[in-house]
Amino acid sequence: TNVSQLSGCFNQSNLLQISTIQLTGGTISANGSTTICTGTLGFSSTGSQGPNFVWALLNSNGTQVLAQNTTGVFNFTTRPAGTYRVTRGSYGPNVNLGAITPPQLPPCFVTSNTIVVNKVNCGVSLESSPNPTTGFSNATFSVDKEGTATLEVYDMSGRKIAELFNQVVSSDVEYRVEFDGNALPNGVYIYRLTTINETVIDKFMIAR
């Protein structure tokens, strides 16, 4: 039971050293707001162990790696508006990163928690959906500066139908307001968003 106490008719081979590692995905956090319209967003981590690690930017449902690096900083300037996920992986030797397709990770690969990042359009934006609609419609908008925003509905003759929203909003945050147009006749209508900087409109159609 003790190699150092071997005696008698006994001999041993050379010794082979075996090293083991313990992988933990660690915990990550964003270095700033997770809503961004342009520029870079950095992340930091605690608790990750192992011989290697990688930061990964994933699509909205976490099934595709869009970018990876060892810095934890991702540039969202040219990426379309939408939802993204960021995670950090710790992995052992002989792991081929090019063959990884989340969420089916290979052995010896452990990931951290994931953080959801919302990429929004910069400046003042306004979009209606569905368009056309049979009645209910959603107006989604964001502004580039904090201040009062007013959202109204007009018909094509310029008559004001409704005021849906009038309050102070934060910059680069997406707001969504529902409008019930079931009592209106078929036709084209206008959402008008007025901010401290500008006024934008978006046309939508009611068709039954």
Side-chain angles (χ1 to χ4, degrees):
T1 59
N2 193 326
V3 173
S4 64
Q5 296 176 351
L6 291 175
S7 62
C9 197
F10 200 103
N11 202 356
Q12 72 182 80
S13 70
N14 58 304
L15 297 178
L16 228 119
Q17 180 174 317
I18 299 176
S19 300
T20 63
I21 59 173
Q22 180 178 3
L23 299 176
T24 61
T27 302
I28 67 171
S29 58
N31 302 331
S33 172
T34 54
T35 298
I36 187 171
C37 77
T38 189
T40 61
L41 180 59
F43 299 83
S44 56
S45 70
T46 58
S48 292
Q49 300 177 16
N52 307 295
F53 71 90
V54 64
W55 290 90
L57 176 66
L58 312 177
N59 61 349
S60 60
N61 55 12
T63 59
Q64 181 182 1
V65 177
L66 305 177
Q68 61 185 33
N69 59 49
T70 58
T71 64
V73 178
F74 295 98
N75 192 337
F76 289 87
T77 300
T78 59
R79 297 198 177 275
T83 302
Y84 299 87
R85 294 179 181 272
V86 174
T87 189
R88 187 181 193 267
S90 179
Y91 60 97
N94 303 317
V95 172
N96 181 7
L97 292 182
I100 293 175
T101 305
Q104 297 176 340
L105 296 174
C108 287
F109 197 111
V110 180
T111 59
S112 69
N113 56 305
T114 61
I115 293 180
V116 176
V117 177
N118 294 308
K119 167 68 185 296
V120 297
N121 293 318
C122 293
V124 179
S125 65
L126 173 64
E127 183 178 3
S128 60
S129 65
N131 190 9
T133 177
T134 58
F136 285 99
S137 176
N138 293 307
T140 303
F141 67 91
S142 62
V143 301
D144 56 351
K145 289 185 178 180
E146 181 177 342
T148 301
T150 303
L151 180 66
E152 301 165 311
V153 179
Y154 289 81
D155 62 19
M156 292 303 292
S157 69
R159 181 174 64 94
K160 181 178 174 179
I161 302 296
E163 181 178 292
L164 305 178
F165 188 94
N166 187 348
Q167 64 185 62
V168 175
V169 295
S170 301
S171 60
D172 299 326
V173 175
E174 188 175 84
Y175 295 85
R176 176 174 292 183
V177 180
E178 185 181 67
F179 171 61
D180 183 359
N182 282 292
L184 296 175
N186 290 349
V188 178
Y189 296 86
I190 296 173
Y191 282 120
R192 187 174 78 172
L193 176 68
T194 304
T195 71
I196 59 175
N197 288 332
E198 59 185 295
T199 297
V200 295
I201 65 171
D202 187 47
K203 294 180 180 179
F204 68 99
M205 178 181 292
I206 295 178
R208 303 180 183 89

